[in-house]
C-alpha cells in the first residue's frame, strides 16, 4: 500500500512552508503555532516526506525546508511515530537518495543520519547494505547521494559502526570506500576519503587492517586537481601522524615536502588543513630529528601565512580607525566562564606562570574561526618551543625586513612573528630586545589600529624581560604608552591594551606601586569610555592590579578613585545579569587587597552575595521538584558569589564576623557543600576555610555536620574539590586543637591514600601534606601510628614550599608524631633530613625540635652507622645540616644503605 496525500491537506502544508520563508517575525510566530497543531496528526510527517521526495514541481528550497522540518520532528519525537509512518519515511529516503538536485540529496542524507542516530541503526538493518549497494550504481546522482548519506552516518555514529552491536559492518565498508579513492568524479573521491577519515582517531580495527592500502591510496591522490580532495588527504595525514606515525616514518621526507607545498596551496582551506600538520608534528618526539633540515623552507612559509588576508581585513574592518562610540552587538560578546577558587601555596622562586595565556589568542578573535594566520602563528609558537634558539638563524634575516616594512600588513605580521616566538626563543632573543622593545613601543602609536593592537599583544609576551630590566629603561615607557592605548579610539586596540596591561601587572607586581595614581586615573577614565565588551576586560585589568600590588592599594587616595565607579556599576547591574561575574571577580581581588580599606563597602556587597547564593539554591530546588515548570538555574552566579565572600573573609579577616552573625550563610554553605556540581563544592570549601580563619566562632557549631561532608569529598577524581576540602580540614584542625580527635578517622585514611597516589598534581600533594601535618599537630596520638605510610611522600611534597605559617604548623606536627612513633621515620630518615634542610629560617622553637630529632637519631644509631648513613647525602645537604644543626657529616665511609640512597639521591638533588 502506497500512502497518498489528501489534496487539501497538501495545499495547507505547502502554504505553511511558503509562509515559514517569510522574514516577518509575526508570520514566523503563526507558523510555529501552526506547526505545533499539525504535529498532533501522525501523518503530518508523511506529507513532509512526500513534499521532499515526490513533489518535483515545487521549488528546491521549499522541498528541502520540508525535509528539515521533518528532521527536527524526528529529532524531537521519532519514538512516537506510528510504525507505518516511520516505514514510509525510511522507504522514501532510500528510494530517492539519487534525486537530480544536490540540495535534495543532501537533505535526504541529513534525514537518514538523524533517523540512524536515534538508535535506529540497529532497527534499520537494511540501511547500510542498501547504501553500500547504491554506491555501485551507474547513475552518478545515486552514487553521490548514497555516499553523502554514508559520510554523515560515519560522522555521527563512528563508534557504533566499529562495534559488535552491528556485527562490525566496517569490515565490509572500509575496503569498499577504499575502492572509490580512484573514482573519476572528484566529489565521490572526496566523500570516500572523508568516510575513512572518520575512523582514524579511534584506530578502528577494520582500518588498521587496511592501513597500508589506505596510505598508498592517499599518496596516489596527493596531487589531485580538486581542492576538496587535497584537503581531505591533508586531514588524513595529520591524523595518521597522531595515531600511526610508525607507518609514516619511512615516507616522512616526502610527506614533509608535500606538506610544504600544500601549506602554500592557493585554496586557503587546503593550506589550513596542511598547516595543522606542523602543529601536530611538533608534539611528536621525532619532530626535531625529521624537521631540522626542512626549517629553512618551512619558516618562510609559516611567516608568510601570518599576514592578514584581504578578506580578514574586510571582516575586521581594518580600515576603520575610530569606533569607540559604536555600541557592541551582543553576539560579539563571548560567554565568560568563571574559574572557581583553588587554594595554592607559595613556592620557592615563584613567578607567575604565563603558560595558560600563551595560547595564540593574539588578537583577531572577531574571526574566532580558526584560519591560516592563527594556525601559522600557533605552529611557529610550538616549533619555537621545540627548536628554541636553533630557529633564529632562519627567522632573524626575515624579521628585519618585516618589522620595518612600509606596507602595514607586512609590518603587522612581523610583530605577530615576534610575539609567537617569545616563549620558545626568549634566551636567543635577549641580545636583540634592547633594540626591539623600543621599536615595538613606537609601533603602539602606529596610525593603523591593527598594528597598534598586535604591538600590545607582542609586548605582553616580553613583559617578563621588560620587568627584569631597570624600570626607567623599558617598564616606564611601556607602561606610559600602554595606558594611552587603553584610552585608544579603537575598540580592538583598547581590548588588546587592557589584556596586555593585565599581563604586565602580573609580571611587575609591586614595581607598579610608584605609578598607582596614574594607572588608576587611566583605568577609571576608561570606565566612562568603554562599550560593553571591553568593560568586561577592564574589570579583569583592575582585579589583576589589585592582586599584583596587594595592600599597597589600601590608601585613601586610591580607594577614593577606584571604589565609586565600581560600586556604581555594582548598583546598576541586576541579580540575573551575567556581567556580575567579572565584576564580582574584580571586587573579590579588590577586597582582598584593600583589607580594612574595603570596610565601608562591605555590607551591601556581602548581603548581595548571600542573596545570590540563596536565590540560586531556591531555583535549583524548584527545578529539581518541577523540571517541567522551572528552568535550571545558572549556578555560576552562586559560584562567583561564594568566591567573592571568600575574598571578603580573607581581606576583612575578623571584621567579617558581624556580617556572618547577621546572615544565614552557614546554613546556605551546608547546602552548597553538598551540591551536585563540583565547582559549587569547590568554592564552598574555599569559603569554609576562609571563614574558619576569619571567624571560627560561627563555624564551630557546624563542625559535626560539616566534617563527614568534607571526608566524602576527599576524592581525587575531582582534583580542585578535593584540594579545597583538604585545605579546609587543615584550617579547621588549627582552630579545633585536641577537639579534632573524634573526626581524625573520618579523613585520615583518604588523605594518606591521596599522598601516595601516583600522578597526583603538585598542589593537591602539598595541601594534603600540610593537612596531614596539622592533623598530627593537634592529635599526634591518633595520626602517628600511620607515620611510616606517608613520611616519604610527605617530605618530598613540602621541600619546595617557601617558609610560611602553613609549613610551620605542618612540620611541628611531623616532629610531634616522630616523638610518639620514632620507628615510623627510620627507613626514610634521609628524606626527613632533606625536608628539614629546605627551611631557610624556621622559628627558634621549631629549629630546636629539628635539632633534637637529628641529634637523637645520630646518638641512637651510633657514630659509625651515622657516618655510613650520611655518606649518601649530596654535598649541599651535608653543608646545610652542618651549618644549621651542627650535625657533623663525614665525607668518607662505607656504602651502607646504598639501596635506599639510589632513590633518595635523585629527590635530594632536584631542588636542594
Amino acid at each position: 500500500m502506497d500512502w497518498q496525500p489528501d489534496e487539501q491537506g497538501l495545499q495547507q502544508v505547502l502554504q505553511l512552508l511558503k509562509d515559514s520563508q517569510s522574514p516577518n517575525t509575526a508570520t514566523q510566530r503563526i507558523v510555529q503555532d501552526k506547526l505545533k497543531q499539525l504535529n498532533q496528526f501522525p501523518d503530518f510527517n508523511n506529507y513532509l516526506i512526500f513534499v521532499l521526495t515526490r513533489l518535483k514541481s515545487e521549488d528546491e528550497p521549499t522541498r528541502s525546508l520540508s525535509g528539515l522540518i521533518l528532521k527536527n520532528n524526528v529529532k524531537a519525537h521519532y519514538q512516537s511515530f506510528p510504525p507505518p509512518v516511520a516505514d514510509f519515511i525510511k522507504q522514501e529516503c532510500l528510494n530517492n537518495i539519487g534525486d537530480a538536485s544536490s540540495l535534495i540529496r543532501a537533505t535526504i542524507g541529513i534525514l537518514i543520519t538523524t533517523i540512524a542516530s536515534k538508535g535506529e541503526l540497529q532497527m534499520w538493518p537494511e540501511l547500510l547494505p542498501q547504501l553500500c549497494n547504491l554506491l555501485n550504481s551507474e547513475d552518478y546522482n545515486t552514487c553521490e547521494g548514497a555516499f553523502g548519506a554514508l559520510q554523515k552516518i560515519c560522522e555521527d555514529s563512528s563508534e557504533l559502526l566499529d562495534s559488535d552491536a552491528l556485527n562490525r559492518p566496517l569490515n565490509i565498508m572500509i575496503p569498499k570506500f577504499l575502492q572509490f579513492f580512484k573514482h573519476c568524479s572528484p566529489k565521490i573521491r572526496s566523500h570516500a576519503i572523508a568516510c575513512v577519515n572518520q575512523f582514524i582517531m579511534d584506530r578502528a580495527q577494520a582500518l588498521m587492517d587496511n592501513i597500508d592500502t589506505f596510505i598508498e591510496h592517499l599518496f596516489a591522490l596527493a596531487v589531485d586537481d580538486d581542492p576538496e580532495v587535497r584537503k581531505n588527504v591533508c586531514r588524513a595525514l595529520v591524523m595518521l601522524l597522531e595515531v600511526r606515525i610508525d607507518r609514516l616514518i619511512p615516507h616522512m621526507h616526502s610527506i614533509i615536502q608535500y606538506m610544504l607545498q600544500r601549506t602554500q596551496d592557493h585554496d586557503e582551506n587546503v593550506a589550513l588543513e596542511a598547516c595543522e600538520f606542523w602543529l601536530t608534528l611538533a608534539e611528536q618526539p621525532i619532530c626535531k630529528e625529521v624537521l631540522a633540515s626542512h626549517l629553512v623552507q618551512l619558516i618562510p612559509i609559516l611567516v608568510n601565512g601570518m599576514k592578514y588576508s584581504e578578506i580578514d581585513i574586510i571582516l575586521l574592518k581594518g580600515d576603520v580607525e575610530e569606533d569607540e562610540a559604536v555600541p557592541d552587538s551582543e553576539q560579539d560578546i563571548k560567554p565568560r566562564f568563571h574559574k572557581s577558587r583553588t587554594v595554592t601555596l607559595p613556592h620557592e622562586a615563584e613567578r607567575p606562570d604565563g603558560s595558560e595565556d600563551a595560547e595564540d589568542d593574539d588578537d583577531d578573535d572577531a574571526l574566532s574561526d580558526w584560519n591560516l594566520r592563527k594556525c601559522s602563528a600557533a605552529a611557529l609558537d610550538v616549533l619555537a618551543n621545540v627548536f628554541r634558539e636553533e630557529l633564529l638563524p632562519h627567522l632573524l634575516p626575515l624579521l628585519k625586513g618585516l618589522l620595518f616594512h612600509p606596507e602595514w600588513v607586512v609590518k603587522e605580521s612581523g610583530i605577530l612573528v615576534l610575539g609567537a616566538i617569545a616563549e620558545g626563543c626568549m634566551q636567543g632573543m635577549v641580545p636583540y630586545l634592547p633594540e626591539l622593545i623600543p621599536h615595538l613601543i613606537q609601533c603602539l602609536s602606529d596610525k593603523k589600529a591593527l598594528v597598534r593592537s598586535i604591538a600590545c599583544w607582542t609586548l605582553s609576551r616580553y613583559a617578563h624581560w621588560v620587568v627584569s630590566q631597570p624600570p626607567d629603561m623599558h617598564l616606564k615607557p611601556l607602561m606610559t604608552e600602554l595606558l594611552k592605548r587603553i584610552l585608544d579610539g579603537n575598540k580592538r586596540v583598547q581590548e588588546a591594551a587592557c589584556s596586555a596591561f593585565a599581563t604586565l601587572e602580573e609580571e611587575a607586581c609591586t614595581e607598579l606601586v610608584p605609578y598607582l595614581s596614574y594607572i588608576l586615573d587611566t583605568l577609571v577614565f576608561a570606565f566612562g569610555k568603554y562599550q560593553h565588551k571591553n568593560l568586561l576586560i577592564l574589570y579583569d585589568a583592575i582585579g589583576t592590579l589589585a592582586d599584583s600590588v596587594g595592600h599597597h592599594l589600601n590608601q585613601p587616595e586610591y580607594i577614593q578613585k577606584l571604589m565609586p565607579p565600581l560600586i556604581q556599576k555594582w548598583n546598576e547591574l541586576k541579580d540575573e545579569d551575567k556581567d556580575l561575574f567579572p565584576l564580582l571577580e574584580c571586587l573579590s581581588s579588590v577586597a582582598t587587597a584593600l583589607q580594612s580599606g574595603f570596610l565601608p563597602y562591605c555590607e551591601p556587597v556581602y548581603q548581595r552575595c548571600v542573596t545570590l547564593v540563596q536565590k540560586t539554591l531556591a531555583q535549583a530546588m524548584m527545578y529539581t521538584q518541577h523540571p517541567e515548570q522551572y528552568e535550571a538555574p545558572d549556578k555560576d552566579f552562586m559560584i562567583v558569589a561564594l568566591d567573592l565572600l571568600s575574598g571578603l573573609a580573607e581581606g576583612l579577616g575578623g571584621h567579617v564576623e558581624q556580617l556572618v552573625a547577621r546572615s544565614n550563610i552557614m546554613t546556605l554553605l551546608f547546602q552548597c557543600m553538598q551540591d551536585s556540581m563540583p565547582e559549587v563544592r569547590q568554592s564552598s570549601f574555599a569559603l569554609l576555610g576562609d571563614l574558619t580563619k576569619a571567624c571560627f566562632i560561627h563555624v564551630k557549631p557546624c563542625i559535626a555536620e560539616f566534617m563527614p561532608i568534607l571526608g566524602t569529598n576527599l576524592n581525587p577524581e575531582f582534583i580542585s574539590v578535593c584540594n579545597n576540602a583538604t585545605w579546609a580540614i587543615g584550617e579547621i584542625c588549627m582552630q579545633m586543637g585536641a577537639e579534632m580527635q573524634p573526626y581524625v578517622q573520618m579523613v585520615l585514611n583518604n588523605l594518606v591514600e591521596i599522598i601516595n597516589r601516583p600522578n597526583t598534581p603538585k598542589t593537591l600533594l602539598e595541601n594534603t601534606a600540610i593537612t596531614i601535618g596539622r592533623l598530627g599537630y593537634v592529635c599526634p596520638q591518633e595520626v602517628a601510628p600511620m607515620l611510616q605510610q606517608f613520611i616519604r611522600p610527605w617530605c618530598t611534597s613540602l621541600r619546595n614550599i617557601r617558609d610560611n605559617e602553613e609549613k610551620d604548623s605542618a612540620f611541628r606536627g611531623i616532629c610531634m608524631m616522630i616523638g610518639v612513633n620514632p620507628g615510623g621515620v627510620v627507613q626514610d630518615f634521609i628524606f626527613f633530613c632533606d625536608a628539614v634542610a629546605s627551611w631557610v629560617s624556621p622559628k627558634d622553637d621549631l629549629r630546636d625540635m629539628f635539632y633534637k630529632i637529628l641529634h637523637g637519631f645520630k646518638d641512637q644509631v651510633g657514630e659509625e652507622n651515622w657516618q655510613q648513613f650520611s655518606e649518601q647525602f649530596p654535598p649541599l645537604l651535608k653543608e646545610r645540616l652542618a651549618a644549621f644543626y651542627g650535625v657533623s657529616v663525614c665525607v668518607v665511609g662505607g656504602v651502607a644503605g646504598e639501596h635506599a640512597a639510589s632513590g633518595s639521591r635523585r629527590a635530594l638533588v632536584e631542588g636542594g
Side-chain angles (χ1 to χ4, degrees):
M1 73 132 229
D2 196 8
W3 179 87
Q4 286 300 328
D6 163 72
E7 191 49 46
Q8 197 184 347
L10 187 60
Q11 288 315 313
Q12 212 181 338
V13 171
L14 284 171
Q15 189 52 52
L16 181 75
L17 291 167
K18 294 270 186 288
D19 290 344
S20 67
Q21 294 171 62
S22 144
N24 181 331
T25 34
T27 316
Q28 284 298 336
R29 228 172 272 127
I30 296 166
V31 167
Q32 286 310 316
D33 293 341
K34 192 87 179 122
L35 272 176
K36 270 204 187 108
Q37 287 167 15
L38 289 172
N39 266 320
Q40 305 304 310
F41 300 101
D43 67 348
F44 171 50
N45 293 306
N46 283 1
Y47 282 91
L48 291 173
I49 189 78
F50 187 87
V51 174
L52 173 67
T53 57
R54 304 265 189 105
L55 221 54
K56 317 260 168 159
S57 53
E58 277 303 319
D59 62 279
E60 287 178 18
T62 302
R63 290 173 60 200
S64 172
L65 183 63
S66 180
L68 294 174
I69 291 175
L70 175 54
K71 176 207 74 161
N72 290 337
N73 286 349
V74 166
K75 239 187 173 139
H77 26 245
Y78 183 73
Q79 265 57 40
S80 56
F81 283 20
V85 174
D87 291 340
F88 180 62
I89 294 171
K90 290 178 184 175
Q91 208 40 57
E92 283 299 296
C93 283
L94 283 173
N95 291 347
N96 294 279
I97 191 73
D99 193 281
S101 146
S102 63
L103 176 64
I104 301 302
R105 292 199 298 274
T107 309
I108 294 175
I110 291 172
L111 188 51
I112 288 177
T113 188
T114 309
I115 296 172
S117 60
K118 293 304 278 185
E120 281 295 302
L121 264 178
Q122 287 100 317
M123 307 297 294
W124 192 357
E126 67 276 19
L127 171 66
L128 293 171
Q130 273 195 304
L131 286 175
C132 284
N133 223 358
L134 293 172
L135 295 181
N136 301 331
S137 167
E138 293 295 304
D139 173 49
Y140 168 78
N141 291 340
T142 305
C143 177
E144 196 279 325
F147 239 136
L150 278 166
Q151 185 180 330
K152 294 182 183 81
I153 293 171
C154 291
E155 284 168 11
D156 292 344
S157 312
S158 63
E159 279 178 32
L160 190 55
L161 292 173
D162 190 29
S163 69
D164 288 328
L166 297 175
N167 213 350
R168 303 206 173 264
L170 278 194
N171 295 340
I172 299 158
M173 290 163 70
I174 296 261
K176 181 100 185 161
F177 295 154
L178 288 171
Q179 292 168 13
F180 285 87
F181 277 40
K182 298 189 162 70
H183 196 277
C184 59
S185 148
K187 187 100 202 260
I188 304 277
R189 294 198 296 275
S190 182
H191 277 314
I193 309 172
C195 283
V196 180
N197 281 357
Q198 290 306 321
F199 303 101
I200 299 177
M201 294 311 284
D202 292 332
R203 298 183 165 83
Q205 196 49 53
L207 175 56
M208 294 302 126
D209 294 343
N210 290 282
I211 194 83
D212 292 328
T213 320
F214 175 45
I215 292 174
E216 221 170 282
H217 283 36
L218 284 175
F219 288 169
L221 292 176
V223 288
D224 201 283
D225 297 336
D226 184 78
E228 198 57 30
V229 172
R230 294 198 303 274
K231 184 178 100 177
N232 281 330
V233 169
C234 289
R235 181 172 292 171
L237 289 169
V238 170
M239 291 191 284
L240 286 167
L241 189 60
E242 216 167 305
V243 300
R244 286 310 302 260
I245 193 166
D246 57 311
R247 282 290 183 262
L248 298 187
I249 285 177
H251 316 283
M252 197 52 90
H253 178 76
S254 344
I255 295 175
I256 288 175
Q257 284 302 328
Y258 174 65
M259 286 298 188
L260 286 167
Q261 290 173 325
R262 288 289 71 80
T263 309
Q264 307 171 78
D265 201 286
H266 48 270
D267 182 299
E268 180 170 336
N269 292 320
V270 180
L272 179 57
E273 278 304 332
C275 196
E276 295 279 355
F277 181 82
W278 314 114
L279 272 176
T280 306
L281 184 57
E283 288 165 6
Q284 306 303 321
I286 62 155
C287 175
K288 228 172 162 166
E289 159 195 345
V290 297
L291 201 52
S293 59
H294 301 278
L295 287 179
V296 61
Q297 291 161 285
L298 174 59
I299 299 303
I301 294 172
L302 291 177
V303 166
N304 194 41
M306 287 163 75
K307 289 203 293 278
Y308 276 126
S309 65
E310 288 173 25
I311 186 95
D312 290 342
I313 294 170
I314 294 165
L315 287 172
L316 287 172
K317 308 189 173 62
D319 46 357
V320 177
E321 289 304 316
E322 290 243 350
D323 61 356
E324 64 173 349
V326 184
D328 296 326
S329 74
E330 287 308 306
Q331 66 260 33
D332 286 348
I333 299 172
K334 290 213 279 271
R336 279 183 86 272
F337 298 102
H338 171 71
K339 196 163 170 289
S340 314
R341 199 176 171 96
T342 310
V343 187
T344 55
L345 297 166
H347 287 86
E348 285 308 330
E350 189 169 41
R351 62 166 284 233
D353 173 23
S355 56
E356 43 199 281
D357 339 294
E359 293 311 307
D360 260 85
D361 47 358
D362 40 44
D363 61 338
D364 29 331
D365 43 359
L367 291 179
S368 53
D369 331 333
W370 195 229
N371 56 19
L372 186 59
R373 167 189 164 89
K374 291 192 155 185
C375 190
S376 305
L380 190 60
D381 183 355
V382 291
L383 289 170
N385 276 298
V386 172
F387 286 95
R388 303 283 169 183
E389 285 60 60
E390 294 166 41
L391 209 63
L392 293 178
H394 307 287
L395 252 178
L396 292 173
L398 299 172
L399 260 176
K400 193 107 181 160
L402 298 173
L403 289 171
F404 297 93
H405 201 280
E407 275 180 63
W408 74 266
V409 178
V410 181
K411 176 174 168 180
E412 193 278 346
S413 73
I415 300 173
L416 173 57
V417 168
L418 204 52
I421 61 168
E423 197 186 350
C425 301
M426 182 59 88
Q427 285 321 104
M429 287 306 295
V430 165
Y432 306 98
L433 292 179
E435 189 184 341
L436 280 173
I437 297 295
H439 176 64
L440 286 171
I441 291 176
Q442 225 176 334
C443 293
L444 285 175
S445 45
D446 193 274
K447 59 179 195 304
K448 292 304 288 185
L450 289 172
V451 174
R452 298 199 297 277
S453 64
I454 197 66
C456 290
W457 178 73
T458 292
L459 279 160
S460 75
R461 301 267 287 174
Y462 289 97
H464 186 66
W465 181 82
V466 166
V467 172
S468 70
Q469 305 298 299
D472 287 353
M473 293 275 295
H474 304 292
L475 177 61
K476 212 168 159 185
L478 172 57
M479 191 182 58
T480 313
E481 282 307 310
L482 268 182
L483 288 171
K484 286 184 194 158
R485 291 294 66 84
I486 285 177
L487 304 179
D488 199 277
N490 179 282
K491 291 195 287 192
R492 169 179 301 283
V493 179
Q494 295 171 355
E495 177 184 357
C498 249
S499 301
F501 196 72
T503 306
L504 185 64
E505 291 169 339
E506 285 177 343
E507 290 288 354
C509 293
T510 49
E511 297 271 344
L512 296 178
V513 172
Y515 317 107
L516 266 175
S517 184
Y518 180 42
I519 293 171
L520 287 169
D521 285 340
T522 304
L523 297 179
V524 168
F525 190 76
F527 255 112
K529 187 177 168 81
Y530 276 13
Q531 297 295 341
H532 186 179
K533 180 181 171 188
N534 286 351
L535 258 184
L536 307 184
I537 297 163
L538 182 63
Y539 294 143
D540 182 53
I542 291 173
T544 309
L545 180 67
D547 294 338
S548 302
V549 299
H551 64 90
H552 295 283
L553 199 57
N554 189 6
Q555 298 292 335
E557 167 203 0
Y558 302 151
I559 297 175
Q560 223 17 67
K561 286 180 200 269
L562 182 59
M563 287 310 296
L566 282 175
I567 293 297
Q568 186 191 340
K569 287 286 174 207
W570 171 261
N571 292 332
E572 283 168 16
L573 292 176
K574 295 191 174 53
D575 277 352
E576 41 287 332
D577 192 329
K578 291 203 173 174
D579 284 8
L580 271 176
F581 297 171
L583 181 54
L584 283 157
E585 284 173 22
C586 170
L587 280 171
S588 180
S589 296
V590 169
T592 309
L594 289 185
Q595 298 172 346
S596 59
F598 197 78
L599 272 174
Y601 309 96
C602 65
E603 186 142 1
V605 172
Y606 179 89
Q607 288 310 341
R608 184 170 196 178
C609 288
V610 173
T611 308
L612 282 170
V613 174
Q614 197 155 4
K615 274 188 177 175
T616 313
L617 285 171
Q619 202 180 336
M621 179 95 87
M622 306 218 289
Y623 173 71
T624 315
Q625 290 165 356
H626 311 284
E628 65 295 333
Q629 287 176 23
Y630 295 99
E631 279 191 15
D634 180 343
K635 289 188 178 172
D636 270 357
F637 284 103
M638 170 156 78
I639 296 167
V640 182
L642 289 167
D643 285 348
L644 176 46
L645 288 169
S646 279
L648 287 173
E650 197 184 327
L652 300 173
H655 295 295
V656 85
E657 187 273 322
Q658 298 142 348
L659 296 169
V660 174
R662 295 200 295 271
S663 72
N664 60 341
I665 187 65
M666 298 316 294
T667 317
L668 299 175
L669 199 49
F670 181 63
Q671 289 173 270
C672 292
M673 288 164 51
Q674 299 173 79
D675 197 90
S676 58
M677 189 176 177
E679 290 77 6
V680 175
R681 301 201 300 277
Q682 176 182 337
S683 291
S684 8
F685 295 139
L687 176 56
L688 175 61
D690 282 317
L691 290 175
T692 299
K693 288 170 81 167
C695 52
F696 189 62
I697 133 175
H698 297 297
V699 178
K700 193 169 183 184
C702 316
I703 290 297
E705 284 182 304
F706 284 6
M707 281 311 297
I709 302 173
L710 284 163
T712 46
N713 278 281
L714 295 177
N715 167 9
E717 199 184 328
F718 301 105
I719 293 291
S720 302
V721 180
C722 182
N723 179 67
N724 290 2
T726 303
W727 174 75
I729 293 168
E731 290 300 338
I732 290 169
C733 286
M734 298 310 287
Q735 301 289 340
M736 291 283 281
E739 291 178 64
M740 194 69 190
Q741 196 256 325
Y743 308 108
V744 173
Q745 293 319 316
M746 273 181 201
V747 297
L748 183 59
N749 286 336
N750 286 352
L751 292 168
V752 173
E753 200 176 313
I754 292 166
I755 204 167
N756 282 295
R757 261 175 100 247
N759 305 327
T760 305
K762 203 164 81 214
T763 305
L764 178 54
L765 284 177
E766 291 162 359
N767 274 318
T768 307
I770 296 277
T771 295
I772 291 175
R774 289 179 152 189
L775 268 174
Y777 178 59
V778 295
C779 301
Q781 296 296 338
E782 282 71 20
V783 187
M786 294 188 75
L787 191 57
Q788 197 180 340
Q789 294 177 44
F790 60 74
I791 183 72
R792 180 188 279 206
W794 190 93
C795 292
T796 47
S797 303
L798 292 186
R799 58 194 302 281
N800 293 323
I801 300 285
R802 280 199 223 145
D803 294 6
N804 65 16
E805 282 302 313
E806 295 177 319
K807 183 170 174 174
D808 179 273
S809 54
F811 270 83
R812 287 171 192 272
I814 273 294
C815 292
M816 291 171 75
M817 289 187 276
I818 292 175
V820 172
N821 174 18
V825 74
V826 170
Q827 283 184 320
D828 297 302
F829 197 69
I830 187 165
F831 289 92
F832 176 73
C833 295
D834 177 51
V836 165
S838 75
W839 277 87
V840 181
S841 47
K843 293 187 183 151
D844 290 344
D845 60 334
L846 181 60
R847 179 178 301 215
D848 286 346
M849 294 165 104
F850 292 157
Y851 183 91
K852 287 195 178 101
I853 291 173
L854 292 170
H855 282 273
F857 183 82
K858 187 179 166 185
D859 299 345
Q860 190 75 38
V861 297
E863 188 64 36
E864 192 179 339
N865 286 334
W866 172 259
Q867 293 305 349
Q868 288 185 347
F869 171 70
S870 63
E871 239 250 306
Q872 311 161 20
F873 293 6
L876 191 66
L877 178 55
K878 292 182 184 172
E879 281 167 34
R880 278 204 160 176
L881 291 179
F884 284 103
Y885 302 100
V887 181
S888 59
V889 182
C890 176
V891 189
V892 291
V895 285
E898 197 46 63
H899 171 67
S902 60
S904 50
R905 189 172 297 131
R906 239 188 356 266
L908 288 159
V909 178
E910 272 168 9

